Amino acid sequence: MAVRLNEDKEMVQAIREGLKRTGGYCPCRLERTEENKCICKEFREQMADPDFKGYCHCMLYYKD
Ligand code: SF4
């Protein structure tokens, strides 16, 4: 299992700016809850899932 940033640097920068604006909450989600703090619960579960391969919801990270 390997997790890396999206190869699209502009995308990474835009999401990082979003994270800065929200104070660390997922910029793609409305709710400011603990499970939506980056790295969010959804992607933590996807990282733990041996069958998952792909981007996180915001496309900041890629897991293969
Ligand atoms: S979807 Fe990606 S960027 Fe958004 S909180 Fe989850 S891991 Fe972070």
Side-chain angles (χ1 to χ4, degrees):
M1 191 273 271
V3 174
R4 60 165 173 78
L5 286 170
N6 191 327
E7 61 285 338
D8 181 339
K9 291 193 170 55
E10 281 178 27
M11 175 85 99
V12 169
Q13 200 188 331
I15 300 164
R16 283 191 164 151
E17 276 165 19
L19 283 166
K20 220 185 280 174
R21 206 176 49 239
T22 63
Y25 292 99
C26 188
C28 313
R29 294 186 168 96
L30 287 176
E31 307 87 45
R32 302 282 184 258
T33 59
E34 209 42 47
E35 57 185 54
N36 286 349
K37 269 205 161 172
C38 193
I39 292 172
C40 61
K41 185 167 179 270
E42 179 185 68
F43 195 55
R44 284 197 303 268
E45 286 171 1
Q46 288 169 331
M47 286 193 293
D49 177 357
D51 295 327
F52 177 81
K53 187 176 178 169
Y55 290 99
C56 72
H57 189 77
C58 289
M59 295 183 74
L60 177 60
Y61 295 110
Y62 182 82
K63 182 207 163 200
D64 63 17

PDB file of all heavy atoms in Angstrom, residues 15 26-27 29 36 38-40 43 56-58 60-61, ligand 1:
ATOM      1  N   ILE A  15      -6.485  22.445  -3.113  1.00  0.00           N
ATOM      2  CA  ILE A  15      -7.068  21.743  -1.961  1.00  0.00           C
ATOM      3  C   ILE A  15      -6.373  22.187  -0.674  1.00  0.00           C
ATOM      4  O   ILE A  15      -7.018  22.400   0.349  1.00  0.00           O
ATOM      5  CB  ILE A  15      -6.990  20.210  -2.133  1.00  0.00           C
ATOM      6  CG1 ILE A  15      -7.757  19.791  -3.378  1.00  0.00           C
ATOM      7  CG2 ILE A  15      -7.563  19.513  -0.909  1.00  0.00           C
ATOM      8  CD1 ILE A  15      -7.461  18.395  -3.869  1.00  0.00           C
ATOM      9  N   CYS A  26     -12.180  18.966   5.757  1.00  0.00           N
ATOM     10  CA  CYS A  26     -12.245  18.643   4.341  1.00  0.00           C
ATOM     11  C   CYS A  26     -12.938  19.757   3.553  1.00  0.00           C
ATOM     12  O   CYS A  26     -14.092  20.085   3.832  1.00  0.00           O
ATOM     13  CB  CYS A  26     -12.992  17.322   4.165  1.00  0.00           C
ATOM     14  SG  CYS A  26     -12.899  16.763   2.465  1.00  0.00           S
ATOM     15  N   PRO A  27     -12.260  20.339   2.595  1.00  0.00           N
ATOM     16  CA  PRO A  27     -12.877  21.425   1.840  1.00  0.00           C
ATOM     17  C   PRO A  27     -14.007  20.957   0.922  1.00  0.00           C
ATOM     18  O   PRO A  27     -14.765  21.779   0.405  1.00  0.00           O
ATOM     19  CB  PRO A  27     -11.712  22.012   1.029  1.00  0.00           C
ATOM     20  CG  PRO A  27     -10.631  20.998   1.046  1.00  0.00           C
ATOM     21  CD  PRO A  27     -10.866  20.087   2.211  1.00  0.00           C
ATOM     22  N   ARG A  29     -16.450  18.997   1.897  1.00  0.00           N
ATOM     23  CA  ARG A  29     -17.625  18.608   2.677  1.00  0.00           C
ATOM     24  C   ARG A  29     -18.119  19.800   3.487  1.00  0.00           C
ATOM     25  O   ARG A  29     -17.328  20.645   3.903  1.00  0.00           O
ATOM     26  CB  ARG A  29     -17.273  17.458   3.621  1.00  0.00           C
ATOM     27  CG  ARG A  29     -16.917  16.186   2.896  1.00  0.00           C
ATOM     28  CD  ARG A  29     -16.724  15.081   3.915  1.00  0.00           C
ATOM     29  NE  ARG A  29     -16.651  13.786   3.289  1.00  0.00           N
ATOM     30  CZ  ARG A  29     -15.508  13.181   2.983  1.00  0.00           C
ATOM     31  NH1 ARG A  29     -14.351  13.756   3.222  1.00  0.00           N
ATOM     32  NH2 ARG A  29     -15.522  11.992   2.443  1.00  0.00           N
ATOM     33  N   ASN A  36     -14.511  14.634   9.497  1.00  0.00           N
ATOM     34  CA  ASN A  36     -14.188  15.327   8.249  1.00  0.00           C
ATOM     35  C   ASN A  36     -12.901  16.138   8.339  1.00  0.00           C
ATOM     36  O   ASN A  36     -12.637  16.993   7.497  1.00  0.00           O
ATOM     37  CB  ASN A  36     -15.351  16.246   7.840  1.00  0.00           C
ATOM     38  CG  ASN A  36     -16.523  15.440   7.305  1.00  0.00           C
ATOM     39  OD1 ASN A  36     -16.400  14.252   7.052  1.00  0.00           O
ATOM     40  ND2 ASN A  36     -17.658  16.086   7.161  1.00  0.00           N
ATOM     41  N   CYS A  38      -9.039  16.423   7.857  1.00  0.00           N
ATOM     42  CA  CYS A  38      -8.096  15.754   6.972  1.00  0.00           C
ATOM     43  C   CYS A  38      -6.966  15.117   7.789  1.00  0.00           C
ATOM     44  O   CYS A  38      -6.371  15.791   8.615  1.00  0.00           O
ATOM     45  CB  CYS A  38      -7.514  16.769   5.996  1.00  0.00           C
ATOM     46  SG  CYS A  38      -6.630  16.005   4.633  1.00  0.00           S
ATOM     47  N   ILE A  39      -6.597  13.908   7.685  1.00  0.00           N
ATOM     48  CA  ILE A  39      -7.154  12.936   6.744  1.00  0.00           C
ATOM     49  C   ILE A  39      -8.491  12.392   7.291  1.00  0.00           C
ATOM     50  O   ILE A  39      -8.515  11.838   8.377  1.00  0.00           O
ATOM     51  CB  ILE A  39      -6.139  11.788   6.510  1.00  0.00           C
ATOM     52  CG1 ILE A  39      -4.940  12.331   5.756  1.00  0.00           C
ATOM     53  CG2 ILE A  39      -6.793  10.654   5.754  1.00  0.00           C
ATOM     54  CD1 ILE A  39      -3.796  11.313   5.642  1.00  0.00           C
ATOM     55  N   CYS A  40      -9.534  12.543   6.495  1.00  0.00           N
ATOM     56  CA  CYS A  40     -10.885  12.218   6.955  1.00  0.00           C
ATOM     57  C   CYS A  40     -11.060  10.721   7.225  1.00  0.00           C
ATOM     58  O   CYS A  40     -10.285   9.887   6.771  1.00  0.00           O
ATOM     59  CB  CYS A  40     -11.893  12.659   5.899  1.00  0.00           C
ATOM     60  SG  CYS A  40     -11.633  11.822   4.314  1.00  0.00           S
ATOM     61  N   PHE A  43     -11.270   8.422   4.080  1.00  0.00           N
ATOM     62  CA  PHE A  43     -10.023   8.014   3.430  1.00  0.00           C
ATOM     63  C   PHE A  43      -9.174   7.134   4.348  1.00  0.00           C
ATOM     64  O   PHE A  43      -8.471   6.243   3.864  1.00  0.00           O
ATOM     65  CB  PHE A  43      -9.237   9.239   2.944  1.00  0.00           C
ATOM     66  CG  PHE A  43      -8.137   8.874   1.968  1.00  0.00           C
ATOM     67  CD1 PHE A  43      -8.412   8.152   0.819  1.00  0.00           C
ATOM     68  CD2 PHE A  43      -6.812   9.235   2.219  1.00  0.00           C
ATOM     69  CE1 PHE A  43      -7.402   7.794  -0.068  1.00  0.00           C
ATOM     70  CE2 PHE A  43      -5.801   8.884   1.340  1.00  0.00           C
ATOM     71  CZ  PHE A  43      -6.098   8.162   0.188  1.00  0.00           C
ATOM     72  N   CYS A  56      -8.730  10.048  -2.834  1.00  0.00           N
ATOM     73  CA  CYS A  56      -9.653  10.426  -1.769  1.00  0.00           C
ATOM     74  C   CYS A  56     -10.723  11.318  -2.387  1.00  0.00           C
ATOM     75  O   CYS A  56     -10.590  11.757  -3.533  1.00  0.00           O
ATOM     76  CB  CYS A  56      -8.915  11.124  -0.619  1.00  0.00           C
ATOM     77  SG  CYS A  56      -8.341  12.809  -0.978  1.00  0.00           S
ATOM     78  N   HIS A  57     -11.763  11.569  -1.619  1.00  0.00           N
ATOM     79  CA  HIS A  57     -12.917  12.325  -2.111  1.00  0.00           C
ATOM     80  C   HIS A  57     -12.518  13.654  -2.770  1.00  0.00           C
ATOM     81  O   HIS A  57     -13.024  14.004  -3.828  1.00  0.00           O
ATOM     82  CB  HIS A  57     -13.844  12.573  -0.909  1.00  0.00           C
ATOM     83  CG  HIS A  57     -15.151  13.149  -1.264  1.00  0.00           C
ATOM     84  ND1 HIS A  57     -16.166  12.406  -1.798  1.00  0.00           N
ATOM     85  CD2 HIS A  57     -15.618  14.419  -1.165  1.00  0.00           C
ATOM     86  CE1 HIS A  57     -17.208  13.191  -2.003  1.00  0.00           C
ATOM     87  NE2 HIS A  57     -16.902  14.412  -1.633  1.00  0.00           N
ATOM     88  N   CYS A  58     -11.592  14.372  -2.175  1.00  0.00           N
ATOM     89  CA  CYS A  58     -11.144  15.676  -2.708  1.00  0.00           C
ATOM     90  C   CYS A  58     -10.098  15.543  -3.803  1.00  0.00           C
ATOM     91  O   CYS A  58      -9.726  16.534  -4.421  1.00  0.00           O
ATOM     92  CB  CYS A  58     -10.491  16.505  -1.608  1.00  0.00           C
ATOM     93  SG  CYS A  58     -11.591  17.128  -0.389  1.00  0.00           S
ATOM     94  N   LEU A  60      -6.965  14.896  -3.215  1.00  0.00           N
ATOM     95  CA  LEU A  60      -5.653  15.358  -2.741  1.00  0.00           C
ATOM     96  C   LEU A  60      -4.669  14.178  -2.725  1.00  0.00           C
ATOM     97  O   LEU A  60      -3.529  14.314  -3.127  1.00  0.00           O
ATOM     98  CB  LEU A  60      -5.779  15.948  -1.335  1.00  0.00           C
ATOM     99  CG  LEU A  60      -4.500  16.417  -0.650  1.00  0.00           C
ATOM    100  CD1 LEU A  60      -3.813  17.521  -1.469  1.00  0.00           C
ATOM    101  CD2 LEU A  60      -4.775  16.901   0.759  1.00  0.00           C
ATOM    102  N   TYR A  61      -5.163  13.043  -2.259  1.00  0.00           N
ATOM    103  CA  TYR A  61      -4.313  11.854  -2.132  1.00  0.00           C
ATOM    104  C   TYR A  61      -4.731  10.756  -3.106  1.00  0.00           C
ATOM    105  O   TYR A  61      -5.896  10.683  -3.492  1.00  0.00           O
ATOM    106  CB  TYR A  61      -4.414  11.278  -0.722  1.00  0.00           C
ATOM    107  CG  TYR A  61      -3.881  12.180   0.349  1.00  0.00           C
ATOM    108  CD1 TYR A  61      -4.728  12.791   1.262  1.00  0.00           C
ATOM    109  CD2 TYR A  61      -2.513  12.434   0.450  1.00  0.00           C
ATOM    110  CE1 TYR A  61      -4.233  13.615   2.253  1.00  0.00           C
ATOM    111  CE2 TYR A  61      -2.017  13.266   1.432  1.00  0.00           C
ATOM    112  CZ  TYR A  61      -2.889  13.854   2.340  1.00  0.00           C
ATOM    113  OH  TYR A  61      -2.402  14.677   3.303  1.00  0.00           O
TER     114      TYR A  61
HETATM  115  S1  SF4 B   1     -11.153  13.743   1.106  1.00  0.00           S
HETATM  116 FE1  SF4 B   1      -8.946  13.918   0.978  1.00  0.00          FE
HETATM  117  S2  SF4 B   1      -8.503  16.066   1.270  1.00  0.00           S
HETATM  118 FE2  SF4 B   1     -10.582  15.715   1.959  1.00  0.00          FE
HETATM  119  S3  SF4 B   1     -10.301  15.336   4.147  1.00  0.00           S
HETATM  120 FE3  SF4 B   1     -10.311  13.382   3.112  1.00  0.00          FE
HETATM  121  S4  SF4 B   1      -8.193  12.943   2.810  1.00  0.00           S
HETATM  122 FE4  SF4 B   1      -8.311  15.111   3.229  1.00  0.00          FE
END
